[in-house]
Amino acid sequence: GAGVSQSPSNKVTEKGKDVELRCDPISGHTALYWYRQSLGQGLEFLIYFQGNSAPDKSGLPSDRFSAERTGGSVSTLTIQRTQQEDSAVYLCASSPDGLAGGRTQYFGPGTRLTVL
Amino acid sequence: DAKTTQPPSMDCAEGRAANLPCNHSTISGNEYVYWYRQIHSQGPQYIIHGLKNNETNEMASLIITEDRKSSTLILPHATLRDTAVYYCIVRANAGGTSYGKLTFGQGTILTVHP
């Protein structure tokens, strides 16, 4: 079946512009996670959705970052007034049920964001 | 979540078994051991996970010591396509505030050479 998809695959923007990154999780997966990976850095957690609710936003680095999920499916990560330090690969993962132990997360290919 | 320790890099000859170690001495009784890998420019790929017992699937085997303080991921016949960063992650049950999020360390860079 189809895996997690993300769009765009690459995004180049100018400092100060807003960007939207999209994630389409695996059909039926109720849990959705956003991570980011900066150059030379490990993957860091950003936000977790269970259905359309986000009980854990602890990884969002600033109030310029926000995310929403609609219909328990597609999620959009929005970065306002982008800065050069926002340049990274943004990864989305989905899981059948984030509330149960042992649930595997499946990752998308990521969106590479470059802020000039 | 418990912290893990992995060697920064390892080499393996093509066709041989690759044995990747991971220490997780502070693991709790309800925490699972997960392995993911990330091939260059791709998203992380799930490999295998376990709680206490050894596990095997089509990709790899996972050996967990009896005290659960360490584990080894075994790729039985490594190929050039197995060159990647391998992450060992210990994850709490999703009850409570962890919500199942994964905490990635620096991982082990495995290089498979001809």
Side-chain angles (χ1 to χ4, degrees), chain A:
Chain A
V4 177
S5 61
Q6 294 186 245
S7 60
S9 55
N10 280 284
K11 176 72 176 177
V12 180
T13 191
E14 294 179 348
K15 179 181 172 181
K17 300 282 189 181
D18 298 352
V19 295
E20 285 190 351
L21 311 179
R22 177 187 169 108
C23 172
D24 283 87
I26 293 172
S27 178
H29 281 193
T30 58
L32 186 147
Y33 303 79
W34 283 96
Y35 297 83
R36 80 173 174 181
Q37 187 170 30
S38 304
L39 187 63
Q41 301 293 317
L43 288 97
E44 55 177 340
F45 165 81
L46 297 177
I47 187 170
Y48 157 70
F49 285 93
Q50 180 63 27
N52 294 333
S53 300
D56 188 353
K57 305 178 184 179
S58 62
L60 294 178
S62 77
D63 58 7
R64 295 186 295 105
F65 287 71
S66 63
E68 65 174 10
R69 189 179 184 194
T70 56
S73 180
V74 172
S75 177
T76 303
L77 177 69
T78 301
I79 309 173
Q80 295 179 310
R81 305 180 303 282
T82 52
Q83 303 294 311
Q84 289 183 330
E85 61 262 28
D86 300 334
S87 295
V89 176
Y90 289 82
L91 292 152
C92 175
S94 71
S95 174
D97 180 356
L99 298 179
R103 293 295 191 180
T104 300
Q105 292 179 30
Y106 298 91
F107 283 80
T111 293
R112 180 175 297 278
L113 175 66
T114 303
V115 182
L116 301 177

Side-chain angles (χ1 to χ4, degrees), chain B residues 97-108:
Chain B
T97 58
S98 72
Y99 300 112
K101 64 189 175 190
L102 298 173
T103 302
F104 289 82
Q106 295 303 308
T108 296

